[in-house]
Amino acid sequence: MESMAMHQREIERAGHRISYLEMRPEGADQASLKSGDALPTIVFVHGWPERGYSWRHQLPVLAGLGFRALAPDLRGYGNSTVYSEKHAYTLEKMVGDMIGLLDALGISEAIWVGHDWGGPIVWSIASHHPDRCRAVASLCVPYFHLERGLDHVIDLVDRSVYPEAQFPAGQWDYQRFYEESFEAATAAFDANPRATIKALFRKGDPAGMGQIAGTAEVRRHGGWFGGLPEAPDLPIDTDVISEADLDFYAEDLAKHGFFGPDSFYVNHSANAEYALRAVNDGKLSMPALFLAGRYDFVCETVTSGAAGPMRTMCSDLEEQVIDSGHWMAQERPIEVNQALVSWLLRRQLMTSF
């Protein structure tokens, strides 16, 4: 029998390749999986600029509890297909990739967990393909939010912190920078991927509460990192990633570059149109979990009203605040795992489908 181990696998469907990590319960070898639904499946979807590897702390826990745990690399990352056109990175296409992954593995439905851009992806799976979604959870990004386009998100900005006259796009100004200066944004990241990761992957800082996030002034300062041509060489924050983790991320981003990951930010109009085609007017009835980062001051939902629409649109919603910054699954893995597992137990989702 196959012992519980993390495996890197690949599938190809309709010309698109998906690389993914997989862990199964001990003893659940390939021969024992007579169908894709022989085990309950949970799929973890990463955000920018991560990979399925960002869920390395969650996969063994859920596999140990009886799940077939998957963490795919989204298009543009890892060994998944990298496209050279910006319009290839819409939510509709990424949702299609995830449904294609289930189809290729013979899995009828899964529990979906997302972080950062992975949040809009799993929320969109829930709203467009509810028959393939047993339950849905998101870290940092609530439902009825970023998947509906940048203008919608800006309408939810906390104007007590970001006066409109001074900060018209609020903390989302950096996304306007992608739209207006895509090549400059990508070039600054590509110039030194290792320094970029060290600069970005920082733990949450309570001192930032109620303050202006740096992302609110990206255009005013001429780009990321204060307009510098590349990220400053900061010390690694080992509360979020190790040296080995840094090597993994930096090597991949040096190989493929940031064009694909950054293209996620320039398809807001197409994403908003796609959101309008959700079934049941976008209302979700399956169990849903939202984990907010107390010190995530870009995806801020603790003191603002940004999560309000989600509460209206989800009939079976649980929420929890984690004392974390944005990189929650890596900064606070124990707390995230506890929140996920306790939710799965409460909603009776630990049994097979």
Side-chain angles (χ1 to χ4, degrees), residues 281-346:
D281 296 323
K283 295 178 181 177
L284 305 184
S285 60
M286 72 284 291
L289 173 69
F290 177 59
L291 301 182
R294 191 180 303 279
Y295 310 126
D296 184 348
F297 304 123
V298 179
C299 302
E300 203 292 310
T301 60
V302 177
T303 60
S304 73
M310 172 182 64
R311 296 167 187 142
T312 300
M313 300 300 294
C314 297
S315 62
D316 189 0
L317 175 68
E318 294 190 28
E319 298 181 62
Q320 184 172 332
V321 178
I322 305 292
D323 289 339
S324 172
H326 183 68
W327 313 102
M328 186 188 294
Q330 299 175 89
E331 180 186 344
R332 296 290 186 185
I334 293 175
E335 291 87 339
V336 168
N337 291 343
Q338 289 174 334
L340 285 172
V341 172
S342 61
W343 169 66
L344 293 168
L345 286 169
R346 283 193 301 275

Side-chain angles (χ1 to χ4, degrees), residues 234-313:
L234 301 177
I236 185 174
D237 187 343
T238 55
D239 287 335
V240 181
I241 56 172
S242 67
E243 287 284 353
D245 301 333
L246 173 61
D247 291 342
F248 181 88
Y249 285 126
E251 180 180 358
D252 180 65
L253 290 165
K255 178 181 178 182
H256 295 298
F258 276 82
F259 177 89
D262 288 357
S263 292
F264 284 51
Y265 292 92
V266 294
N267 286 289
H268 290 295
S269 295
N271 293 343
E273 189 279 329
Y274 176 57
L276 294 176
R277 291 187 269 126
V279 302
N280 195 30
D281 296 323
K283 295 178 181 177
L284 305 184
S285 60
M286 72 284 291
L289 173 69
F290 177 59
L291 301 182
R294 191 180 303 279
Y295 310 126
D296 184 348
F297 304 123
V298 179
C299 302
E300 203 292 310
T301 60
V302 177
T303 60
S304 73
M310 172 182 64
R311 296 167 187 142
T312 300
M313 300 300 294

Side-chain angles (χ1 to χ4, degrees), residues 32 45 52 61 71 95 113 198 218-219 247 331 335 341 346 353:
S32 71
V45 184
V61 172
V95 167
V113 183
K198 287 196 293 181
V218 169
R219 288 185 294 174
D247 291 342
E331 180 186 344
E335 291 87 339
V341 172
R346 283 193 301 275
F353 301 153

Side-chain angles (χ1 to χ4, degrees), residues 135-164:
V136 59
S138 179
L139 284 58
C140 300
V141 181
Y143 180 47
F144 228 75
H145 191 260
L146 190 55
E147 82 280 358
R148 304 193 72 81
L150 185 55
D151 290 341
H152 174 81
V153 172
I154 290 174
D155 285 342
L156 298 171
V157 166
D158 185 349
R159 293 303 177 186
S160 69
V161 178
Y162 300 98
E164 188 168 9

Side-chain angles (χ1 to χ4, degrees), residues 55-171:
W55 299 104
R56 61 196 176 278
H57 304 297
Q58 284 70 50
L59 291 170
V61 172
L62 273 299
L65 292 172
F67 285 91
R68 184 180 191 179
L70 310 175
D73 291 334
L74 295 173
R75 52 175 56 203
Y77 292 88
N79 290 327
S80 294
T81 303
V82 177
Y83 296 92
S84 58
E85 303 84 19
K86 296 174 188 173
H87 62 76
Y89 295 90
T90 62
L91 282 176
E92 184 170 12
K93 288 183 171 63
M94 289 182 276
V95 167
D97 294 343
M98 297 299 98
I99 297 300
L101 175 63
L102 291 196
D103 290 344
L105 298 177
I107 299 169
S108 61
E109 63 177 356
I111 296 167
W112 298 88
V113 183
H115 167 251
D116 189 80
W117 270 106
I121 294 171
V122 301
W123 290 125
S124 296
I125 291 168
S127 60
H128 289 74
H129 301 276
D131 58 318
R132 311 303 295 270
C133 181
R134 178 71 180 85
V136 59
S138 179
L139 284 58
C140 300
V141 181
Y143 180 47
F144 228 75
H145 191 260
L146 190 55
E147 82 280 358
R148 304 193 72 81
L150 185 55
D151 290 341
H152 174 81
V153 172
I154 290 174
D155 285 342
L156 298 171
V157 166
D158 185 349
R159 293 303 177 186
S160 69
V161 178
Y162 300 98
E164 188 168 9
Q166 187 178 0
F167 301 99
Q171 70 269 39

